[in-house]
Amino acid sequence: MQNASDGIERIDNPTPEEFYREFVSKGRPVILTGIASTWPACGRWTPRFFADRFGDTPVQVEVQRSQDPMLHWGEKEVLQTTLARYVELLSSESPKYYLNFASVMAQLPELHRDVGSLDAYQVHHRPYPERVRRKLRLSPIFWFGPAGAFTSLHRDPSDNLLVQVLGRKRLTLFAPEDTPNLYAPWHENCSSGRCLGGYSPVNVAQPDLERFPRLSRARGVDVLLGPGEILFIPIHWWHYVSSVDVSISVSYWWFHRLSQWHWSTAAWVPLRSTLECQVRQWWRARAA
């Protein structure tokens, strides 16, 4: 696996038109600066803030015991708790607890006052009516975890503006062309109602080239994302994410083409692969 260190361009406060022309339309990752750095959230959102203000809010957190996706997904655990109790768990060395893929922004709508709007940067290839634009924008997703929390290598079925609010995150990105070298799609640990075809079985933190020899051909790009920075991850780009510090981030997902929204599931996992997954799950259920 060949990684280029911090090979993603940083651009300060581009216009939405420039952002679309140079990056969205070309499927090029970029780090945007000077946009989110002035948001009140960047100075206000700390573990203590959430424990004191919203401590009784119920949340579901992921229990992380292994970075190996084969083990992690095979033994996936979750814990039902509150924000106050979760803040206490941030100091746990093993296992790690990660409040990920969370709808906290919907649970606590007052948090929207602490962030600015990115609507202008969720640009489209043509001027759709506003009611269509709303359909193409997804609800913000909240990520809050300790140093060492991670998200396995995967790709999203939409474009993503990942806003780093607190702490730092390290990401490794791979272009869609590297999909065969990442041994995807992967369905070995799929279960009823959960298809992992958008994930890779590769452990980016500890690559095993004997197990996955084609990984040596993959060309990753390492990125260190700091507070107030926004990473644009184009649709279908693979990314592995780990927290360097206690970290809070928000993902703003959208589709810049209407056809991507209509075919989002099929684009994430090819139809043939999805059918194979469903057949495999059916056989497992029948054998049980």
Side-chain angles (χ1 to χ4, degrees):
M1 186 169 66
Q2 308 168 52
N3 284 17
S5 179
D6 214 14
I8 301 294
E9 182 179 353
R10 279 176 162 80
I11 183 168
D12 186 63
N13 203 19
T15 65
E17 293 77 16
E18 179 185 5
F19 172 56
Y20 179 80
R21 183 180 65 250
E22 297 299 327
F23 302 100
V24 177
S25 68
K26 297 177 181 179
R28 290 176 56 201
V30 66
I31 296 173
L32 307 178
T33 62
I35 297 171
S37 54
T38 59
W39 290 2
C42 289
R44 183 175 298 164
W45 289 10
T46 64
R48 182 47 50 198
F49 169 81
F50 283 97
D52 291 346
R53 293 280 300 274
F54 309 109
D56 293 334
T57 302
V59 292
Q60 176 177 286
V61 301
E62 184 177 274
V63 183
Q64 299 190 329
R65 300 184 187 276
S66 172
Q67 286 254 14
D68 185 338
M70 302 288 281
L71 297 176
H72 173 67
W73 289 108
E75 304 169 359
K76 185 172 173 62
E77 300 176 58
V78 295
L79 174 69
Q80 305 293 335
T81 186
T82 64
L83 271 174
R85 174 59 181 147
Y86 175 63
V87 168
E88 295 175 0
L89 293 173
L90 289 174
S91 60
S92 171
E93 288 297 323
S94 182
K96 298 288 186 182
Y97 297 89
Y98 193 13
L99 176 55
N100 58 3
F101 204 78
S103 57
V104 170
M105 302 284 285
Q107 289 176 271
L108 304 171
E110 55 265 52
L111 292 178
H112 287 275
R113 294 197 294 264
D114 292 340
V115 300
S117 172
L118 291 180
D119 288 359
Y121 288 91
Q122 292 178 299
V123 286
H124 304 89
H125 82 296
R126 64 173 58 179
Y128 295 119
E130 180 55 31
R131 66 180 184 279
V132 175
R133 289 171 59 89
R134 285 197 298 269
K135 286 278 190 182
L136 297 178
R137 293 193 295 263
L138 306 183
S139 299
I141 297 296
F142 187 83
W143 312 84
F144 180 11
F150 67 92
T151 304
S152 300
L153 183 63
H154 67 288
R155 59 180 175 179
D156 298 329
S158 61
D159 294 298
N160 182 2
L161 290 170
L162 177 64
V163 181
Q164 190 63 20
V165 175
L166 175 72
R168 295 168 297 165
K169 276 187 170 171
R170 189 174 299 281
L171 299 93
T172 302
L173 279 67
F174 299 89
E177 292 75 19
D178 261 324
T179 296
N181 298 326
L182 303 176
Y183 293 81
W186 172 55
H187 296 287
E188 294 308 310
N189 282 25
C190 293
S191 61
S192 178
R194 185 187 72 191
C195 177
L196 299 176
Y199 284 80
S200 164
V202 167
N203 181 357
V204 174
Q206 295 180 309
D208 186 342
L209 296 182
E210 290 187 7
R211 193 176 176 188
F212 303 112
R214 289 200 307 274
L215 183 60
S216 63
R217 307 174 195 166
R219 301 179 65 86
V221 181
D222 291 330
V223 177
L224 184 63
L225 194 65
E229 295 184 327
I230 304 173
L231 174 62
F232 168 58
I233 306 174
I235 185 171
H236 298 161
W237 271 69
W238 294 90
H239 46 291
Y240 163 80
V241 190
S242 62
S243 297
V244 178
D245 317 295
V246 172
S247 168
I248 297 176
S249 316
V250 183
S251 285
Y252 293 83
W253 285 327
W254 90 104
F255 303 98
H256 74 267
R257 289 179 178 271
L258 184 61
S259 58
Q260 293 170 341
W261 174 78
H262 184 70
W263 294 105
S264 60
T265 302
W268 191 11
V269 185
L271 180 59
R272 177 180 174 182
S273 185
T274 302
L275 293 175
E276 289 174 353
C277 180
Q278 292 174 348
V279 170
R280 184 180 291 111
Q281 292 182 24
W282 180 79
W283 275 109
R284 284 178 181 170
R286 186 177 181 185

